[in-house]
Amino acid sequence: MSMNFSSHEWMLRDRVIEALNSNLSLPRVLESVREPLLELAPAEYMGLCLITLGPLTEFKWLVPGKHRLALLDEYSRWADSDFVRGPIFARPGVALRDTEMLPRKELERSALYQRSRELDLSLEHVMAVLLPVPPGLCGAFTLYRDTQEEFSEREAALLTSLSRHLVNAVRNCRDVQAVTTGARLLEELHNREDSAFLVVEPPSREVLRSQRAAALLEKWFSPSDLHSSGLPRVLQERLEALPRLDADARLDASLWISLQGDTYRVVRFVELPESEGSRSWALVLNEIPLSIPLPEVMKRQLTVRHIDIAKGMLRNWSNRDIASELELSEATVKTHVKEIFRRLKVDSRADFLYQATHLNKPL
């Protein structure tokens, strides 16, 4: 965190994170988030723009309930003149205020500002953060004020501190939406021999198991690796620990990866919406070949040297291994790795592996 937040701000932030995990429908998530978030960073309007990247970029605005903005309903007409897009795409995950994007006189001359005046909205200030959700999707989470009070540096820091949680909510909702449009929940998406899922109520009560889960778990774990509940002990311990972690640590612990032979074993822990009783978790299991290629969409964002280093990471080489292979210093490799993560908008090696696999073969 770049600032020391007050106990009240931490309390509100926790309420926002709880709301982000309260449902797997984005419109309902935004409804739940609105009240605590707008107390944390007061604004008249908030919205999430889902940006589908491709030959033809598509925009879809989600605005909570009755708080719709007429300007956003016609956003596609004005998207190319939106002064917010360039700055937030240059700094994903960082909340930016309009005062950091352009001078006030230029803002007042912008097409979107002029159109807001025509619609009697008077949107005077904006704060936004880009949420990269690979592959091919971004979210622009935006707050608007119709008063002359600027968003503060503190409010920007608070929104920045929530960006990873916003990304996680969009990703989880998108994944579930993809599978619920099929005939069978989760099984449609994970109906492959190298994939499976479990639904477990912590600490170890299994609620649901996909058809392939038993065979995959038997392949991955020996009887001595199992907890008395029948779950692998390493997964049961992670599942038992997750609800006790604070929200930021929980996000970091939601992906488990183990390298065995020539394959990665990957488990993603997804907290499911609350029904009756305690919250359940979906454990999505995937087996990934060690030799997965670097996706073309990633290659296009990297230099030749970056590509060599990224391929080394996909082979599970350490920075020292890569440095030795490419005849570089370990410090130089470390610098390149940080730049690769920045360009690809990933947080870690585990996230890089997960996203590369997602692009090669959607999980």
Side-chain angles (χ1 to χ4, degrees), residues 116-350:
S116 78
R117 305 283 290 186
E118 293 172 4
L119 295 171
D120 294 325
L121 291 172
S122 300
L123 300 181
E124 298 294 339
H125 289 287
V126 60
M127 180 167 66
V129 59
L130 184 74
L131 311 173
V133 190
L137 182 69
C138 289
F141 190 83
T142 311
L143 300 177
Y144 296 99
R145 283 181 178 165
D146 60 11
T147 65
Q148 288 288 347
E149 182 181 358
E150 298 176 1
F151 287 100
S152 69
E153 182 180 350
R154 190 177 195 86
E155 289 164 338
L158 284 161
L159 185 56
T160 296
S161 79
L162 289 165
S163 63
R164 292 174 64 229
H165 297 278
L166 288 161
V167 167
N168 192 56
V170 173
R171 179 170 52 207
N172 288 345
C173 290
R174 182 197 62 176
D175 285 354
V176 169
Q177 181 183 18
V179 298
T180 53
T181 55
R184 300 165 66 188
L185 178 65
L186 289 174
E187 192 73 22
E188 288 295 314
L189 185 61
H190 302 288
N191 190 23
R192 298 196 308 265
E193 291 184 2
D194 58 356
S195 304
F197 74 91
L198 303 171
V199 177
V200 181
E201 184 179 295
S204 57
R205 189 175 77 85
E206 189 174 317
V207 177
L208 183 65
R209 178 179 289 212
S210 74
Q211 182 178 357
R212 302 185 188 278
L216 200 55
L217 290 175
E218 184 176 347
K219 178 181 177 182
W220 286 11
F221 301 99
S222 67
S224 62
D225 294 327
L226 302 182
H227 180 260
S228 58
S229 64
L231 292 173
R233 189 174 292 104
V234 66
L235 302 183
Q236 188 275 332
E237 289 173 353
R238 177 72 61 95
L239 188 62
E240 187 174 11
L242 276 166
R244 298 198 301 264
L245 298 175
D246 66 59
D248 296 289
R250 185 183 306 177
L251 196 59
D252 290 332
S254 63
L255 195 64
W256 175 86
I257 296 180
S258 175
L259 176 62
Q260 295 292 329
D262 60 353
T263 60
Y264 290 102
R265 296 169 180 179
V266 180
V267 180
R268 182 176 164 208
F269 294 77
V270 179
E271 192 172 12
L272 299 178
E274 186 173 8
S275 53
E276 295 182 4
S278 60
R279 300 280 291 268
S280 295
W281 290 72
L283 280 61
V284 181
L285 290 67
N286 291 97
E287 192 167 76
I288 303 169
L290 182 59
S291 57
I292 61 174
L294 183 67
E296 287 299 323
V297 68
M298 286 184 165
K299 285 183 181 178
R300 289 196 292 270
Q301 300 175 68
L302 302 176
T303 67
V304 173
R305 177 59 79 195
H306 290 155
I307 290 171
D308 290 338
I309 292 171
K311 287 178 178 178
M313 287 192 287
L314 290 176
R315 297 185 183 102
N316 199 41
W317 289 354
S318 67
N319 286 354
R320 179 177 296 180
D321 295 332
I322 296 171
S324 175
E325 177 70 19
L326 300 179
E327 298 182 349
L328 300 170
S329 73
E330 199 169 337
T332 298
V333 171
K334 185 176 180 180
T335 299
H336 282 312
V337 168
K338 288 182 178 179
E339 177 63 14
I340 289 167
F341 289 171
R342 187 192 69 80
R343 292 188 179 210
L344 299 182
K345 303 177 181 65
V346 299
D347 297 325
S348 63
R349 284 188 176 230

